[in-house]
Each structure stands twice: as structure tokens, then as C-alpha cells.
Amino acid sequence: MTTRDQRHGWRKVLFENGLSLAFALLFLGALAGQALAGHARFNRELLDDGFAPVSLGGYVTSSAFGVDVLENWQSEFLQFLVFIVATVWLVQRGSPESKPLDRAGRESDAQQRVGRFAGPAAPRAARGHGLRRTLYSHSLALVMGAVFVTSWLGQSLAGAVVYSDEQVRGGHDPVSWAQYLRLPDFWDRTLQNWQSEFLAVLAMVILSVYLRERGSPESKPVGAPHDATGVAG
């Protein structure tokens, strides 16, 4: 393969994966920025309390950084999990985020193109039967749910450590993980993220009925009527 062919091949890969690559870079950039800003804030709080500051490496491997990261991850994956499952059964007239009104529910094998209705290019699991096809039919929600539960568990464990450290620095007794789960601190951190995620989904579902973004698959075509449901641009 010539150098020119290699360059063309890389351009093709970048073009075909541009959306995921762009968001991966945005994620890493934001995570790095959060680490730097959080490290500065954390050290300021330590100095104010009369403790020695920690290195950046010490901070990013600490529970203080972990709880801030994981509490956002768990709320994001909860948002997608709820949205994925809810849109199986619930519809919104006029929203491209909804299925057409007459397709609410699990749909038939023919509509889902599984089993004997699967085409030659369909995933092997979709052409199969039994448990394998059942698991694959729900694999997106299962993975989203697993990430949500794992990150929620990680957030709660890290949060308990952070809360206990703050208690000790203030001259109070630390708490166990089970005790932390019953404290307002945990549910305040958790629910303030959940409510914002559900609000964002609600806004997207409703605003996309009446507003447009030309060329985006998250929007209806600019000229589509407001009551057109499940229409992508």
C-alpha cells in the first residue's frame, strides 16, 4: 500500500468515526480540566484546614476525585437507561425522539428483523433463537444498566470515604458505607444530578417537536410538520 493510499485510508477512518472520536476527545479534555481544577480546589481546602497539599497524581487516584467523576457518570447512564427503556412503550406526538405512535411496545419479529426475518447482514445473534437472541435484544439496556449500577456503587463507596475524611478533619467520627447511604449528603449529591438529567431529556423531547437543527438526525427536517412523529433529518 502506498503512502497516498494510507493517507486516504486514515482520512476514511477519521470521517467514518468522526462523531465518536470528537466526543472522546471532548471527554478526555473535560476530564483533564476537571482534574486540574479539582486538584487546585482540593489543595486549597486542605491548606485552609491546616493539612499538607497532595500531588496531582495523589488527587486523581483519591476518593475525592473519584466521587466527583462517578456521580456524573452514574446520572448520565441512568438518563440513557431510562430513556432507552421508556421509549419502548411511551411516545410523544411530534417528537423525533419518539417512535411513531402506532409502534409503541416491543414490536413484532418482522418489524425488528429478527429470526426468520433477519437479513444476511444482520448480526448473528439476531438470526438465532432462545436466550442468545433475548440477551442481544436487550443488550443496550443491560450494558447501560450495568454501567449505571457499577458507577453508582463506586460513587457511594468513594463518597463514604470522602465524607468520613471530612468528619475526621472536623473532629467527628467517620461513618460506614451503610451509614453514608442513609445520610442527606449522599442523596443530595445523587438527586441533584438525576433531576438535571431528566430535565434535559424532557427539554429535548418537547423542544424537538417545534424547533429544528438542519442536518441533525436529532431533529426533524426543517419543513416537517410539528405533529410528524419519529421522523429523522
Side-chain angles (χ1 to χ4, degrees), residues 11-173:
R11 283 198 296 268
K12 185 173 184 293
V13 170
L14 292 174
F15 174 76
E16 292 180 349
N17 299 278
L19 189 59
S20 58
L21 290 172
F23 274 93
L25 291 174
L26 287 171
F27 163 71
L28 293 174
L31 186 63
Q34 178 187 354
L36 294 173
H39 177 238
R41 173 187 56 79
F42 186 68
N43 275 343
R44 185 180 67 247
E45 293 174 353
L46 287 177
L47 291 171
D48 289 343
D49 292 338
F51 295 90
V54 299
S55 66
L56 179 61
Y59 172 69
V60 298
T61 56
S62 71
S63 295
F65 181 66
V67 69
D68 289 340
V69 171
L70 291 174
E71 75 177 26
N72 287 290
W73 288 10
Q74 58 92 7
S75 63
E76 294 290 345
F77 281 95
L78 174 65
Q79 174 200 68
F80 284 113
L81 172 63
V82 173
F83 187 66
I84 289 166
V85 175
T87 51
V88 173
W89 304 100
L90 304 179
V91 295
Q92 177 62 51
R93 183 180 179 88
S95 177
E97 301 299 319
S98 166
K99 295 195 295 186
L101 302 181
D102 60 351
R103 292 184 61 179
R106 291 294 182 193
E107 303 181 358
S108 66
D109 286 355
Q111 289 173 309
Q112 286 291 306
R113 292 177 288 180
V114 297
R116 63 189 179 89
F117 300 101
R124 183 177 299 177
R127 299 196 301 268
H129 300 278
L131 180 61
R132 183 181 183 186
R133 192 174 85 189
T134 298
L135 290 174
Y136 187 70
S137 297
H138 302 284
S139 55
L140 182 58
L142 288 172
V143 171
M144 289 288 184
V147 176
F148 161 66
V149 170
T150 302
S151 55
W152 181 88
L153 180 61
Q155 176 210 344
S156 66
L157 292 170
V161 173
V162 171
Y163 185 82
S164 292
D165 287 345
E166 293 172 349
Q167 290 290 98
V168 171
R169 290 203 297 267
H172 304 288
D173 294 331

Side-chain angles (χ1 to χ4, degrees), residues 151-230:
S151 55
W152 181 88
L153 180 61
Q155 176 210 344
S156 66
L157 292 170
V161 173
V162 171
Y163 185 82
S164 292
D165 287 345
E166 293 172 349
Q167 290 290 98
V168 171
R169 290 203 297 267
H172 304 288
D173 294 331
V175 299
S176 68
W177 175 66
Q179 289 173 322
Y180 180 66
L181 291 182
R182 298 194 296 269
L183 292 176
D185 179 82
F186 171 71
W187 289 106
D188 177 57
R189 296 178 71 105
T190 299
L191 292 173
Q192 65 178 290
N193 283 286
W194 288 8
Q195 57 86 14
S196 64
E197 301 299 342
F198 295 145
L199 175 62
V201 172
L202 173 63
M204 185 65 179
V205 169
I206 298 300
L207 292 178
S208 61
V209 175
Y210 304 103
L211 305 179
R212 309 286 189 268
E213 182 57 45
R214 183 169 183 152
S216 174
E218 299 304 314
S219 167
K220 293 184 290 190
V222 177
H226 291 324
D227 62 355
T229 307

